[in-house]
Amino acid sequence: MNKPIRRVSIFCMVLILALMVRTNWVQGVQADTWASNSHNDRNKYDRYAYPRGNIIVAGQPVTKSDFVNGLRYKYKRAWVDGPLYAPVTGYSSQAYDSTQLEKLEDGILSGTDSRLFFRNTLDMLTGKQKQGGDVVTTIDPKAQKAAFDGLGNKKGAAVAIDPKTGAILALVSTPSYDPSTFAGGDPATDGKAWTALQNDPNKPMLNRALKETYPPGSTFKLVTATAAFENGMFQSPDDKTDTPKPYILPGTKTELKNDSEDEPCENATLRDAMAVSCNTVYGKIGADLGRDKLRAEAEKFGFNNEKVDIPIRASASYYPKGSSPDGTAMDAIGQHDTRATPLQMAMVASAIANNGVLMEPYLVSEERAANLTTISTHSPHQFSQPMKPETAQKLQQLMESVVKDGTGKKAQIDGVTVGGKTGTAQHGQDNSGLPFAWFVSYAKDSGGKDVAVAVVVEDGAASSNEISGGSIAAPIAKSVMQAVLNK
């Protein structure tokens, strides 16, 4: 072989070697990067090239895949009772991507999860059509419907949790939306529906249960009472407090008002003050505790935690770090800068009901392949322990007094132990907005079954009357508790 031909041969071999290295680099090292590239439309086409797995509630699918046999998309996502379950499932759209469980569990639902490799390979060898796996939720359909129907045309949210395990039994946000209306890619229909939802001032696509934070109002007094017991300020629910009338916010000339001048709040016991929701009593307790102790207790419940995942990530509930003494007094009654999601307040009630142990809230109990083989099963985990068991029992006494003798009477259920706390949270510039009505509660039956519930209704009353939480939100919570306990 002469020298020029040898050089050309070597050059060609180098090119072939470079091509092989590059091919292996792209197919191996960079495979995931290219596969997840937002400009790779094959991902979207493949997602709808075969039936997508389902999201399951109590053994029944609340999603389905409709065969459309389009040029690029063979299937389109659809939902059963879409508005009822949208806060749980999210949406999966050919044009607008996906959210919530449809997004977070896409690997299982689309069948691309690496844990399904063996099943997919076997199906390919046998010629069976590829199909996504299923995601089994913890939702109780009766509780979900009770919350949805109870909220009706109101703006608000409800969350129900099993205190012993952390399983989320209801997750509702209203107004809601039907994900089926924009699941395809037709601008004339899907695009119009999407635009209308985006422009709706009532924000139906906002998951208020997880993504909206509200001033918790008097429901936060549960956290304040917990901090008082845990720090040794009081020993019994019937201990009297040193609460003057009037009570002037520290460092100011501003009087902290109760809902009514007739409320028996001067030197009231913790029990009586919780039952009628005395701002002066719990505001003074918060100021006496100080911002750091109160914040530390709030954080044990999950406030200021930006990684509360169920697996959908909830917005962080907020307790301020730098409040002045008068601000701390207002923080202690759920005003000022304190904000919480409905999930967070359900977690507070759950920890109290579970004798001081807060379980990690979760929404997915099981992932499984299309042939029903279990891929993963959730095991309950402890989130924290905000209080000692004896403190939790004192809080239970306080909450049960609210329902028996105080502002939460409309949550009473025959034959069931119910504890609760009403709240009416002011908001807006100079508290000009209509208040939010809250009810945070738990219920236990004689067989040991229990449930914790938080309900918030936006613009729930035309005045700052504390009873609005008891009259508007408490009946909704009651219906959810009855649904779970079959009462």
Side-chain angles (χ1 to χ4, degrees):
M1 182 182 294
N2 60 34
K3 192 172 183 179
I5 293 177
R6 186 168 60 251
R7 288 177 176 176
V8 171
S9 299
I10 293 172
F11 179 69
C12 289
M13 291 177 64
V14 170
L15 289 179
I16 291 171
L17 180 61
L19 180 61
M20 292 177 63
V21 170
R22 178 60 179 168
T23 299
N24 282 278
W25 180 263
V26 171
Q27 294 290 337
V29 178
Q30 294 186 319
D32 290 340
T33 301
W34 287 112
S36 60
N37 190 291
S38 60
H39 299 291
N40 185 359
D41 288 341
R42 289 183 60 185
N43 288 327
K44 294 191 296 183
Y45 304 152
D46 288 347
R47 180 183 292 170
Y48 301 102
Y50 45 85
R52 190 169 172 82
N54 287 314
I55 296 173
I56 308 296
V57 171
Q60 299 298 317
V62 296
T63 57
K64 55 184 179 177
S65 294
D66 289 343
F67 182 65
V68 294
N69 199 25
L71 177 63
R72 291 177 174 172
Y73 300 103
K74 300 299 181 184
Y75 290 87
K76 184 175 76 168
R77 195 59 153 166
W79 287 259
V80 180
D81 290 328
L84 175 62
Y85 291 109
V88 176
T89 65
Y91 62 80
S92 181
S93 169
Q94 294 172 358
Y96 305 106
D97 200 14
S98 56
T99 59
Q100 297 181 184
L101 290 186
E102 291 281 11
K103 179 84 168 182
L104 295 170
E105 296 286 348
D106 184 64
I108 293 292
L109 294 169
S110 65
T112 59
D113 191 287
S114 59
R115 292 170 294 176
L116 297 173
F117 175 79
F118 178 76
R119 170 55 50 184
N120 292 338
T121 302
L122 187 61
D123 289 345
M124 181 179 65
L125 293 175
T126 59
K128 184 178 179 180
Q129 183 186 36
K130 185 178 179 181
Q131 186 170 348
D134 294 336
V135 173
V136 181
T137 73
T138 58
I139 294 294
D140 180 332
K142 292 184 296 183
Q144 185 80 1
K145 192 171 191 310
F148 187 76
D149 291 346
L151 284 165
N153 59 5
K154 305 177 185 72
K155 285 192 290 186
V159 178
I161 297 176
D162 181 336
K164 292 185 179 69
T165 65
I168 295 176
L169 306 177
L171 186 72
V172 170
S173 175
T174 57
S176 190
Y177 66 98
D178 187 352
S180 298
T181 59
F182 57 90
D186 185 353
T189 55
D190 299 83
K192 184 178 179 180
W194 173 264
T195 300
L197 287 168
Q198 294 297 305
N199 295 333
D200 190 328
N202 290 319
K203 300 180 180 180
M205 298 186 74
L206 171 64
N207 191 334
R208 289 172 165 85
L210 301 176
K211 298 296 186 180
E212 185 69 292
T213 58
Y214 301 89
S218 291
T219 62
F220 192 81
K221 291 171 184 173
L222 298 173
V223 179
T224 302
T226 302
F229 283 125
E230 287 290 288
N231 285 279
M233 287 184 66
F234 302 97
Q235 302 303 315
S236 165
D238 295 310
D239 286 350
K240 282 194 173 184
T241 62
D242 180 20
T243 309
K245 183 180 180 180
Y247 171 64
I248 307 301
L249 291 171
T252 76
K253 296 181 179 180
T254 302
E255 179 183 350
L256 178 59
K257 299 283 188 178
N258 291 309
D259 184 60
S260 168
E261 289 293 328
D262 298 329
E263 289 181 354
C265 296
E266 185 176 5
N267 299 325
T269 65
L270 290 173
R271 187 192 301 272
D272 292 339
M274 187 69 76
V276 298
S277 202
C278 294
N279 292 332
T280 52
V281 171
Y282 285 96
K284 184 176 185 298
I285 288 173
D288 290 347
L289 277 168
R291 67 188 185 191
D292 294 336
K293 290 180 179 178
L294 200 51
R295 186 185 74 249
E297 188 60 51
E299 290 179 347
K300 290 179 184 178
F301 280 105
F303 282 80
N304 297 334
N305 188 331
E306 296 182 353
K307 294 183 179 180
V308 178
D309 302 329
I310 65 168
I312 306 164
R313 176 158 294 181
S315 295
S317 297
Y318 178 72
Y319 186 88
K321 295 183 178 180
S323 293
S324 58
D326 60 312
T328 298
M330 297 302 293
D331 290 326
I333 61 172
Q335 296 290 168
H336 192 225
D337 293 334
T338 309
R339 298 185 67 84
T341 62
L343 172 66
Q344 175 63 76
M345 296 315 296
M347 291 166 65
V348 171
S350 177
I352 293 170
N354 197 36
N355 291 322
V357 176
L358 176 58
M359 300 301 291
E360 182 181 285
Y362 69 100
L363 187 57
V364 175
S365 62
E366 185 179 290
E367 297 170 320
R368 63 192 190 197
N371 66 346
L372 305 185
T373 301
T374 299
I375 303 300
S376 72
T377 301
H378 181 87
S379 297
H381 300 286
Q382 182 174 322
F383 183 89
S384 65
Q385 183 159 357
M387 68 196 89
K388 298 185 288 290
E390 52 267 33
T391 298
Q393 291 160 14
K394 295 169 186 176
L395 265 293
Q396 291 168 17
Q397 293 181 50
L398 294 181
M399 293 180 72
E400 288 163 20
S401 294
V402 171
V403 174
K404 182 180 178 182
D405 302 312
T407 57
K409 292 179 180 178
K410 290 190 176 182
Q412 294 176 358
I413 303 172
D414 290 341
V416 174
T417 300
V418 180
K421 182 66 193 85
T422 57
T424 301
Q426 305 298 322
H427 69 104
Q429 186 69 31
D430 297 323
N431 293 333
S432 58
L434 295 175
F436 299 138
W438 279 92
F439 193 69
V440 174
S441 60
Y442 66 82
K444 300 182 179 184
D445 67 14
S446 58
K449 189 173 184 180
D450 54 2
V451 58
V453 178
V455 174
V456 64
V457 179
E458 295 186 22
D459 301 340
S463 70
S464 61
N465 202 337
E466 176 66 27
I467 198 65
S468 67
S471 62
I472 295 174
I476 301 171
K478 175 182 177 178
S479 67
V480 176
M481 293 186 289
Q482 287 176 310
V484 174
L485 301 179
N486 296 315
K487 295 294 183 179

